[in-house]
Amino acid sequence: MRSTASGIARPAAAGKTMVVKIGSSTLVRDGAVDRPFIERLADQAVRLREMGWSLVVVSSGAIAAGAPRLGFDRRPADMPSLQACASVGQCVLSAVYDEVFAARGLLTSLVLVTRHDTAERSSYLHARDTLSRLVELSVVPVVNENDTVVVDEIRFGDNDTLAALVSCLVSADLCVILSDIDGLYTANPALDPTARLIPLVEKIDGAIIGSAGDSSTAVGTGGMITKVRASRILMTAGIPSVIASGAEADPLVRLAAGEHVGTRFEPPADRLDIAPRKLWIALGDAARGRLVVDDGAACALEAQGSSLLPVGVVGVEGAFGRGDILDICDGTGLVIARGIAEADSDALALAAGRHQDEIARNRLLAALAGRPAVHRDNMIVFA
């Protein structure tokens, strides 16, 4: 460890990177920012740096912190009020992060993003370069969705997804999602006394997704299901992730030291060489529609890495154009892949279930002859 003239502590060499996402219910209590929690977080950041880890914080809580300052006794429902709360609350949060971390010799920065900033491949790469450079400069970036200007069409929807995106952007070695629950259970522990903590997940299937309940907190927008979906994307990217309680003592330091905390999602060994372009397909933009495939097509995608042919499509949902991002689902509704459409929704609806020779003979569909619905090079199959 060395110190610069500014007094900011910098590691002697680059090491590992950890992304931590902190939920609103963990950061804001009784309408006020939980300063002691941020102080404990900063203490862990110092210890992580001593252990050779850089930290990136994905912070919720802007709306929850701003609402009481504007006189709201609960989260408002209308968009202008929500955005006003976010504007005020982001200043409140940033001031606390800056003051607390600076007192420990750590420099923070504020990074606000929306889907608009990552939907285009070039913008996605610029965001990657900026975050990576901040980490190289020993800054602790504090990332949040730009709720002040965001609208539904360009929302990430929850900061769990944003944490997965940031983890991929900085090639994180671990992503930790801190919440008000200590991991994934077999059922909702608030409703089922027999529910058991699941310590390790190596594959996310329908049963795992089914065990994830919705949020029970009034200040957040995510629930366990969004955390599991984010962890599934991270597993696909080859990045381990952990869901743990923010009330745990020093969870980040303990995880960095190899201790078990919460529920760990371990990616398969073959998920270590996913092309950056495919990660952008998985995370950069929201899906504009979905294709439902039959069992044979689902098996071919998952086991063989095949392109998706129109004959394997049994349903087309949403209005989308060629080049849009699509979710690909099996018959149970589980999203098994995401990719770029090779044709618009009307054409694919007409071509669904048809073999290539039948498509070639159809004057309306002739342009699709010999082309898949989604090409394997433009598709990422989830772990």
Side-chain angles (χ1 to χ4, degrees):
M1 184 81 69
R2 59 186 173 87
S3 296
T4 66
S6 63
I8 301 300
R10 301 191 188 280
K16 296 183 177 181
T17 301
M18 180 186 299
V19 172
V20 59
K21 180 265 178 177
I22 308 169
S24 297
S25 59
T26 302
L27 270 174
V28 180
R29 297 183 183 276
D30 300 322
V33 176
D34 190 342
R35 187 185 180 94
F37 174 85
I38 296 181
E39 290 174 343
R40 293 192 297 273
L41 177 67
D43 289 338
Q44 290 186 83
V46 172
R47 293 172 62 187
L48 286 171
R49 184 154 297 184
E50 293 169 349
M51 298 167 70
W53 287 76
S54 298
L55 185 65
V56 178
V57 178
V58 176
S59 175
S60 301
I63 293 175
R69 296 292 184 100
L70 292 175
F72 293 100
D73 58 1
R74 61 175 60 87
R75 182 186 176 95
D78 64 292
M79 184 60 70
S81 295
L82 286 170
Q83 292 174 325
C85 291
S87 179
V88 171
Q90 196 62 67
C91 288
V92 174
L93 273 173
S94 297
V96 176
Y97 275 116
D98 180 62
E99 181 181 344
V100 170
F101 276 69
R104 291 155 177 81
L106 298 176
L107 181 64
T108 61
S109 70
L110 179 60
V111 181
L112 299 178
V113 297
T114 68
R115 281 282 190 192
H116 180 75
D117 301 313
T118 60
E120 292 293 331
R121 173 81 172 141
S122 59
S123 298
Y124 177 92
L125 294 175
H126 284 307
R128 180 198 65 183
D129 293 344
T130 299
L131 283 168
S132 297
R133 186 61 178 142
L134 285 168
V135 171
E136 289 173 358
L137 292 169
S138 300
V139 177
V140 179
V142 178
V143 186
N144 195 3
E145 186 161 17
N146 193 356
D147 290 320
T148 301
V149 298
V150 76
V151 294
D152 287 343
E153 290 79 5
I154 56 173
R155 284 184 59 85
F156 287 101
D158 60 86
N159 274 357
D160 300 318
T161 300
L162 180 57
L165 170 68
V166 170
S167 296
C168 292
L169 288 173
V170 300
S171 300
D173 297 278
L174 179 66
C175 176
V176 182
I177 298 176
L178 295 182
S179 183
D180 52 4
I181 190 168
D182 52 356
L184 175 66
Y185 281 75
T186 53
N188 188 337
L191 303 176
D192 186 348
T194 67
R196 295 176 290 103
L197 179 70
I198 303 172
L200 178 65
V201 175
E202 296 180 295
K203 182 174 177 57
I204 297 179
D205 53 19
I208 290 292
I209 290 178
S211 68
D214 292 331
S215 174
S216 59
T217 150
V219 297
T221 57
M224 184 56 69
I225 188 63
T226 67
K227 294 167 179 54
V228 171
R229 287 172 177 161
S231 295
R232 189 179 186 214
I233 292 172
L234 289 165
M235 290 175 73
T236 302
I239 299 173
S241 61
V242 171
I243 298 174
S245 170
E248 287 273 359
D250 297 331
L252 306 185
V253 171
R254 290 160 58 196
L255 286 165
E259 186 177 337
H260 178 83
V261 182
T263 299
R264 183 179 178 94
F265 295 79
E266 190 68 36
D270 62 354
R271 290 287 175 168
L272 300 179
D273 58 351
I274 299 297
R277 173 176 165 76
K278 292 200 173 187
L279 293 179
W280 168 72
I281 291 172
L283 286 162
D285 197 5
R288 307 298 177 181
R290 62 168 53 194
L291 302 179
V292 182
V293 301
D294 60 28
D295 291 344
C299 182
L301 295 180
E302 294 182 314
Q304 303 169 25
S306 304
S307 294
L308 175 60
L309 300 177
V311 68
V313 177
V314 297
V316 178
E317 301 176 8
F320 53 83
R322 182 180 182 184
D324 283 343
I325 302 291
L326 303 177
D327 281 337
I328 301 170
C329 308
D330 64 15
T332 70
L334 178 67
V335 178
I336 60 173
R338 177 171 284 192
I340 297 176
E342 289 289 322
D344 63 33
S345 51
D346 291 339
L348 287 179
L350 289 174
R354 300 176 187 269
H355 291 278
Q356 289 294 328
D357 56 349
E358 186 179 359
I359 291 173
R361 293 194 303 268
N362 188 311
R363 287 181 297 172
L364 295 176
L365 299 175
L368 273 177
R371 283 168 46 198
V374 180
H375 195 280
R376 61 185 296 173
D377 291 345
N378 293 323
M379 183 194 310
I380 184 167
V381 179
F382 293 122

